[in-house]
Amino acid sequence: MVLLNAIKKYSATLVAINPQNKLNSKHKLSGEYFTNDKYIYWLVDDTLKINNLAHDLSIFFYEQKQAINVDINSFLKLIKPNLASSLINAFFSANAFATERYSLKTDPVKNVIKHNFIIDQQKFANEIKVAQVLAESESFARTLISMPSNLLHADQFEKMFRHKFQGLKNVKFSVLDKQDLIKKKMGLILAVGQASTQYNEPRIIVAKYCTDHNKKLLALVGKGLMFDTGGLNLKPGEAMNTMNADMAGSAIALSTIYALAKLNIKANVVGLATITSNEIGPHAYRVNDVFTSYSGKTVEILNTDAEGRLALADGITYAKRDLKANTIITIATLTGAITVALGNLFTGIWSSNQHQWNMLEEAAQHAPELIWRMPLHKVYADSNINNTNIADIANISPGRLGGANTAAEFLHYFANNVNFIHADIAGTYELKKHSIATMLKTLFFFIKDFK
């Protein structure tokens, strides 16, 4: 990231002006922008929501064909001082592109557009430091999420994070491999991965970061399907196009731990990546199979494409039983149903604790990111339990109604007796076909202030 206090000879410069400025002859409103000569004028006043601006900036930056000057100072002059950190986070995050390219026509580094930021580095030194690390963490996660599944299998994913954490203080990195999962009788994640290739064998990657033993342990459990065919309930071709990104939850969870460790934040947190792939073949798990989870509860499989919740369930139990986590947060590209409910703008959140929801909402404002609270309710929970006559719970509920809620309740079933938060990012992990590592910043600020 280049930070300067001077404008480079780029084709355009982005500056903020008040909507009442005489340059606004087109009478555009706060949050809109227009071009004039070599300037792009973004209209900002007290009515502008920072999290809306962050979303719009991401789209704006992605659509730029050439690098531009970005006068962040001009934006900072027009907003309330308490929003400065959020604004800086928004700009740095929007500029954190993934770095891999797979065409012979491109260079993986030179062809990533990096815009020139103009900002008072002395006045905002701390805010810039945090924003830079968060942007680095997001860029790494985005790169992984964007990688083709033949180039990023589970072995490679593990290797890249092992290298990423190397040298960081207070981080313990370990892996429960397939044999460990068998010994512990983690029947659900093993079931999902029954048809996996050697390079995608089931495992749980554990990154524990602890600098404050007085704090209760919080666990981030990320869904890590390196590819999801849907299993024997095979996905249609169009729905399979983005399934290389079904490991986004795990990439975001572990990258959040990296950001905390890099900035030496006081925390007691563990990141778990529940890694495998959902393939078809003679060894694939089948509909009506029954498996015993790590918790001891049995699960009937009624749809092999509801696999992420199975892997997460064993990860949740491991966080509770083995690591003694007091609060568990799951993050996953879990359901298409969340996009029906919220589209691609808001991340759906379920929380069993009102105080923690309030904290998360505040963290999302600081990030800034858009989240929306969804309901945990006994009716949704019972629909999973009552959908089987031969097991403790089914992996889906009957019908299509409320699918995101019943999926969240399936996870909640295994997280009973601890504080539980679930983030379904199936609709928000990408923007304009670019992965954006959504929720990483929100989780960072939530954990930073977690008691």
Side-chain angles (χ1 to χ4, degrees), residues 105-168:
K105 299 177 183 178
T106 65
D107 181 287
V109 176
K110 290 182 179 179
N111 282 275
V112 176
I113 298 174
K114 293 291 186 182
H115 304 293
N116 176 47
F117 285 176
I118 303 161
I119 187 171
D120 188 332
Q121 297 180 61
Q122 289 186 330
K123 183 176 181 180
F124 299 104
N126 186 63
E127 291 86 349
I128 290 171
K129 179 182 178 181
V130 172
Q132 283 180 321
V133 172
L134 288 174
E136 177 199 346
S137 304
E138 285 186 309
S139 181
F140 183 70
R142 292 172 180 183
T143 297
L144 297 179
I145 296 166
S146 301
M147 288 179 70
S149 61
N150 66 316
L151 300 180
L152 184 69
H153 45 71
D155 285 355
Q156 180 69 1
F157 182 93
E158 176 187 327
K159 179 180 178 181
M160 291 177 74
F161 268 108
R162 189 182 294 275
H163 178 75
K164 190 73 172 173
F165 283 111
Q166 196 169 14
L168 284 181

Side-chain angles (χ1 to χ4, degrees), residues 206-416:
V206 183
K208 186 174 183 181
Y209 171 68
C210 182
T211 60
D212 189 347
H213 292 280
N214 293 322
K215 289 189 174 185
K216 294 179 179 179
L217 180 66
L218 181 149
L220 292 180
V221 186
K223 177 184 174 184
L225 269 291
M226 306 311 295
F227 195 85
D228 178 21
T229 66
L232 295 179
N233 289 113
L234 191 66
K235 291 179 182 290
E238 183 179 350
M240 214 182 294
N241 284 343
T242 58
M243 287 302 104
N244 63 299
D246 214 21
M247 36 56 70
S250 280
I252 292 165
L254 295 185
S255 295
T256 303
I257 302 299
Y258 171 82
L260 292 162
K262 185 80 171 178
L263 288 165
N264 197 30
I265 301 298
K266 288 186 177 182
N268 188 14
V269 60
V270 60
L272 303 178
T274 54
I275 302 293
T276 188
S277 64
N278 187 20
E279 307 287 355
I280 57 173
H283 302 295
Y285 74 138
R286 299 170 296 274
V287 173
N288 297 130
D289 285 353
V290 174
F291 296 97
T292 303
S293 68
Y294 186 39
S295 72
K297 298 291 187 180
T298 57
V299 180
E300 181 182 6
I301 308 304
L302 295 182
N303 191 315
T304 62
D305 196 22
E307 84 300 325
R309 66 198 70 181
L310 300 174
L312 288 169
D314 278 345
I316 289 169
T317 303
Y318 179 76
K320 279 177 51 180
R321 179 182 297 175
D322 295 62
L323 302 178
K324 312 301 181 186
N326 172 263
T327 295
I328 294 175
I329 302 176
T330 54
I331 180 166
T333 48
L334 201 65
T335 68
I338 193 61
T339 65
V340 177
L342 298 178
N344 302 110
L345 190 60
F346 286 81
T347 295
I349 304 291
W350 291 257
S351 176
S352 66
N353 182 295
Q354 180 63 42
H355 174 66
Q356 290 189 352
W357 160 252
N358 293 341
M359 286 181 59
L360 191 73
E361 191 174 31
E362 185 176 339
Q365 290 289 334
H366 196 178
E369 293 180 303
L370 293 165
I371 64 173
W372 194 265
R373 191 174 188 180
M374 301 290 287
L376 288 171
H377 196 282
K378 186 176 184 296
V379 169
Y380 298 122
D382 288 346
S383 66
N384 295 317
I385 296 169
N386 296 334
N387 204 27
T388 176
N389 294 320
I390 60 173
D392 293 313
I393 191 171
N395 75 325
I396 61 169
S397 61
R400 298 171 59 87
L401 299 180
N405 297 321
T406 57
E409 282 289 7
F410 181 90
L411 300 178
H412 191 206
Y413 178 82
F414 292 91
N416 63 329

